[in-house]
Amino acid sequence: MIHLTINGNPRQFDVERLTVGELVEKLGLAGKRLAIERNGEIVPRGSFAEAVLDSDDKLEIVGAVGGG
Amino acid sequence: MDTLNIAGKSYNSRLLVGTGKYKDFEQTRAAIDASGAEIITVAIRRTNIGQNAGEPSLLEYLPPEEFTYLPNTAGCYSADDAVRTLRLARELLDGHKLVKLEVLGDPNTLYPNMLETIKAAETLIKDGFDVMVYCSDDPIIAKQLEDMGCAAVMPLASLIGSGMGILNPWNLQIIIENAKIPVLVDAGVGTASDAAIAMELGCQGVLMNTAIAAAKDPVLMAGAMKKAIEAGREAFLAGRMPRKLYSASPSSPTTGLIG
């Protein structure tokens, strides 16, 4: 079981190993333009497939919205 | 050609607009088209997870290939949050370096916290960002931001969303006179004449959101703002006549009168 905090909310995934790329798929965000920060560090989009998540990682997943 | 030059790139429009507070994305797009703006600000926010998966996004209506995106740090109250937000923005927009930094100090007035703003600007400039910085209309702070290497300083005309217009034209004038980088008014513009006055003072541009989005007819107001910015700029370049209490020199000839 992998425990993550995603955008401030706790989430659990019943898998042994989870990459950022797989997480994006599981969350239904594949193909969306987004940026991800993991424990305060940017995860470059090009490395989603290799970036393996650890339990208790804190993730921020963001996009662009209207603003001034 | 009279262009606005920021961080090595030139723009024909001196009106920069925000993309918030509109009724829907169609209206956002229509207003931005009417404004003629080439630089548009966007906010960076947490993605909704598990909700509205098929919902269209702002980027579909305003493709980043068509506009220069200016991601902002609206809502950030610390240098650290602002820096993190803009690093995420850079990743989101494929290495895009031009950003609008704002660090707020108070949720009621949205007045900027300049100590935190300066701290964030330092980090961002070291990190290679081109920083357009929202700031108070303090000429000393504006100069310090320039000396640090900011790409543009953007003092407030009045408080964000207040529509109160330019409350201290004298400070703005001092900032403009001292600056070698573009000075843009950001925040406080309420209607077209406010934008024209900012340009007549010698601002290089104006950034606004609420003045357009909160108008009864945002698309019509966007067009009015475009004209005001152009009119104000031309009046500035033309050089206004001096103010006199009265003039003994009428516009019509004083000779050849009948009688």
Side-chain angles (χ1 to χ4, degrees):
Chain A
M1 190 73 90
I2 296 174
H3 299 263
L4 302 172
T5 302
I6 303 173
N7 289 354
N9 298 312
R11 296 285 296 249
Q12 286 159 32
F13 296 88
D14 196 7
V15 289
E16 289 295 300
R17 183 179 180 277
L18 187 65
T19 66
V20 173
E22 288 160 352
L23 175 70
V24 168
E25 290 272 348
K26 276 183 191 294
L27 296 175
L29 299 172
K32 294 234 173 205
R33 193 188 270 258
L34 44 83
I36 299 183
E37 183 196 71
R38 177 193 181 195
N39 302 330
E41 299 289 329
I42 299 289
V43 185
R45 222 175 304 162
S47 69
F48 280 5
E50 299 94 69
V52 180
L53 292 161
D54 294 318
S55 233
D56 301 325
D57 275 353
K58 286 189 171 55
L59 299 168
E60 293 287 347
I61 305 180
V62 303
V65 301
Chain B
M1 188 68 192
D2 176 47
T3 55
L4 167 64
N5 304 307
I6 299 172
K9 206 175 153 193
S10 53
Y11 303 88
N12 293 318
S13 171
R14 294 178 178 275
L15 174 56
L16 290 70
V17 295
T19 55
K21 296 185 179 171
Y22 288 97
K23 191 177 74 187
D24 52 33
F25 288 142
E26 278 86 15
Q27 191 188 55
T28 313
R29 174 75 211 210
I32 288 168
D33 283 344
S35 78
E38 295 164 278
I39 302 178
I40 59 172
T41 58
V42 295
I44 304 300
R45 289 291 179 273
R46 286 172 165 173
T47 300
N48 279 334
I49 289 166
Q51 307 159 17
N52 315 322
E55 198 177 68
S57 77
L58 182 74
L59 285 88
E60 290 165 36
Y61 283 81
L62 301 164
E65 303 77 41
E66 237 179 287
F67 297 94
T68 295
Y69 265 50
L70 188 65
N72 70 28
T73 58
C76 289
Y77 285 83
S78 71
D80 189 45
D81 283 349
V83 168
R84 283 173 64 198
T85 298
L86 291 177
R87 283 180 177 152
L88 280 162
R90 180 168 61 182
E91 177 60 22
L92 187 74
L93 299 170
D94 303 319
H96 178 81
K97 293 193 320 186
L98 187 68
V99 294
K100 171 182 159 177
L101 170 66
E102 71 177 88
V103 186
L104 302 176
D106 168 48
N108 292 322
T109 61
L110 304 178
Y111 206 83
N113 178 333
M114 291 317 301
L115 292 178
E116 289 295 305
T117 302
I118 286 172
K119 234 198 279 178
E122 251 170 7
T123 308
L124 290 166
I125 291 164
K126 255 189 232 150
D127 204 3
F129 284 92
D130 295 324
V131 180
M132 299 176 73
V133 55
Y134 172 61
C135 55
S136 58
D137 62 359
D138 177 331
I140 306 304
I141 296 268
K143 192 69 194 164
Q144 283 174 338
L145 291 165
E146 173 177 339
D147 291 344
M148 285 170 59
C150 287
V153 287
M154 305 200 290
L156 47 78
S158 48
L159 298 179
I160 293 175
S162 71
M164 293 283 280
I166 297 167
L167 298 185
N168 195 339
W170 313 111
N171 267 27
L172 276 182
Q173 222 165 336
I174 295 170
I175 293 172
I176 292 163
E177 256 184 47
N178 288 341
K180 291 186 187 68
I181 57 172
V183 177
L184 293 86
V185 154
D186 181 359
V189 165
T191 188
S193 52
D194 297 332
I197 290 168
M199 296 309 293
E200 287 170 14
L201 286 171
C203 283
Q204 292 285 320
V206 177
L207 198 166
M208 64 177 78
N209 191 154
T210 313
I212 296 175
K216 276 189 195 146
D217 184 337
V219 179
L220 193 57
M221 185 58 92
M225 290 299 185
K226 178 179 196 267
K227 292 175 193 137
I229 296 281
E230 286 167 4
R233 177 65 182 171
E234 284 177 18
F236 169 73
L237 293 175
R240 63 156 294 145
M241 63 165 285
R243 282 186 177 86
K244 289 174 277 191
L245 189 56
Y246 58 87
S247 163
S249 160
S251 299
S252 303
T254 50
T255 56
L257 288 144
I258 59 159

